[in-house]
Amino acid sequence: MVSDPILRALNRHPLDARATITLIVLGGTLSLMAFQGADLEVLLLNERSWKQRPWTVLTSVLFHGNAMHLGFNLLVLWQLGRVVEAIWGTWRTVLFLLFLAAGSNSAQWALSGPSVGLSGVVYGLFGLLWAASRWHPDKLGLLNPSVTRMLVGWFFLCIVLTETGTLRIANVAHGSGALLGAALGWSISGPRDRRGWRWLLFPGMTLLFVLAGQFGRPYLNFTESRAREIFAIGYNQEIAGQNQAALESFIEAIQILPDFEEAWWNRGVCLQKLGRSEEAEECFQRSRELGHKAEGE
């Protein structure tokens, strides 16, 4: 059962959940603008923006792939965010949201690829409330059982949909967000004099995920998405006449995705421009073989 102080907090006027409402308005507005074709690339995370526009690790979570994605995230954000804000206050909630967005999006970037949506933040709030209700006696019953079943079920369904190729979903953001939220809930539970070093866990994990995105991606990410990003870099280098740099990019892309037909062909083009004709012909032949294989399938 939820304690009386929490019930009184939740009975406040809905507009008192200022941080939650602000995030919903920002996410809804920017997503709808993007649906209408607005050019908002300056706010989206990609290979180039990660270093040139570091704020995109936060702003890219405000965009969504489609109306269903947007509606689901905003609905659950309202259900969970106002509970968190009622208990811990507006400014702490703002801090929680920023850390959850940066941490979950960085982990997704490090291990998979760019993504959009507030799902990592939503699962972070879920993890926070789950951990707090589990380890803090005064906060029992914070989560509606139906919401818990829905989010847990959706988490595993998303993995199945991704693995079967049905949908491309940011599962790393879901999982890392939930872990961060659970770490936060555990670290702020219990009497203050017994928390000790635990308060360092949440910011420490967030920093670790951000550093993984900033520096660890080349050593952690071996997905097709990463290979295609490297290929795009190589293609731009080739157009700019930087043939040696482009060649190295195409080789790196092939190391991640050995059957990358286009990368083999462009690798051959670069080798040809560098006067290495025999090696170029081997690459062209490999590209043709992969093309015939794809046609046969």
Side-chain angles (χ1 to χ4, degrees):
M1 181 178 294
V2 181
S3 64
D4 289 341
I6 296 174
L7 284 174
R8 288 197 297 272
L10 290 176
N11 286 330
R12 298 183 308 170
H13 194 283
L15 293 180
D16 287 342
R18 293 186 292 273
T20 303
I21 291 173
T22 300
L23 186 56
I24 288 173
V25 171
L26 284 174
T29 301
L30 289 175
S31 294
L32 291 174
M33 289 174 63
F35 294 162
Q36 296 299 316
D39 183 7
L40 299 170
E41 186 179 356
V42 69
L43 301 176
L44 292 171
L45 178 64
N46 54 46
E47 184 77 37
R48 182 174 52 195
S49 70
W50 178 264
K51 294 182 179 179
Q52 297 178 353
R53 301 191 297 271
W55 61 83
T56 56
V57 74
L58 295 173
T59 56
S60 61
V61 306
L62 298 171
F63 297 88
H64 292 79
N66 52 55
M68 185 179 75
H69 186 203
L70 173 64
F72 179 85
N73 276 348
L74 296 190
L75 176 62
V76 182
L77 175 62
W78 170 247
Q79 291 181 319
L80 302 182
R82 68 190 186 94
V83 177
V84 170
E85 195 165 353
I87 298 169
W88 286 285
T90 295
W91 290 110
R92 285 184 182 177
T93 301
V94 169
L95 193 62
F96 295 166
L97 293 172
L98 289 173
F99 273 66
L100 289 171
S104 62
N105 212 16
S106 295
Q108 173 69 29
W109 174 252
L111 296 176
S112 183
S115 67
V116 293
L118 286 159
S119 301
V121 173
V122 165
Y123 272 95
L125 296 176
F126 169 69
L128 164 59
L129 292 174
W130 174 83
S133 64
R134 182 177 179 85
W135 283 301
H136 201 303
D138 293 336
K139 295 180 175 59
L140 294 176
L142 282 177
L143 278 171
N144 186 315
S146 62
V147 173
T148 300
R149 288 193 295 269
M150 177 186 68
L151 288 175
V152 172
W154 180 245
F155 179 85
F156 288 104
L157 177 61
C158 285
I159 294 175
V160 173
L161 292 174
T162 300
E163 292 301 316
T164 57
T166 306
L167 287 173
R168 183 184 174 190
I169 299 171
N171 295 305
V172 176
H174 293 180
S176 58
L179 284 174
L180 285 170
L184 173 60
W186 178 72
S187 64
I188 61 178
S189 296
R192 287 181 180 273
D193 58 350
R194 296 183 183 178
R195 294 176 192 173
W197 59 268
R198 290 194 298 181
W199 69 272
L200 292 171
L201 183 61
F202 176 60
M205 287 178 62
T206 303
L207 178 61
L208 179 64
F209 290 166
V210 171
L211 291 176
Q214 181 69 33
F215 303 108
R217 194 164 191 257
Y219 312 102
L220 299 171
N221 193 322
F222 302 100
T223 62
E224 180 178 343
S225 172
R226 171 66 175 159
R228 294 194 177 279
E229 289 167 11
I230 296 171
F231 174 82
I233 293 172
Y235 183 76
N236 290 330
Q237 291 169 330
E238 183 184 348
I239 291 176
Q242 302 170 4
N243 294 310
Q244 183 60 44
L247 175 62
E248 293 172 2
S249 294
F250 295 137
I251 291 174
E252 185 179 353
I254 291 168
Q255 288 174 340
I256 297 173
L257 191 64
D259 292 342
F260 198 163
E261 177 189 350
E262 296 91 338
W264 277 105
W265 185 268
N266 285 64
R267 177 179 176 177
V269 171
C270 288
L271 286 168
Q272 197 170 53
K273 290 178 179 178
L274 293 169
R276 297 158 63 178
S277 300
E278 291 185 9
E279 294 176 73
E281 185 54 40
E282 292 176 2
C283 292
F284 292 144
Q285 182 59 33
R286 178 57 179 157
S287 179
R288 294 189 193 99
E289 291 173 357
L290 291 171
H292 293 321
K293 180 181 177 182
E295 290 175 3
E297 293 175 350

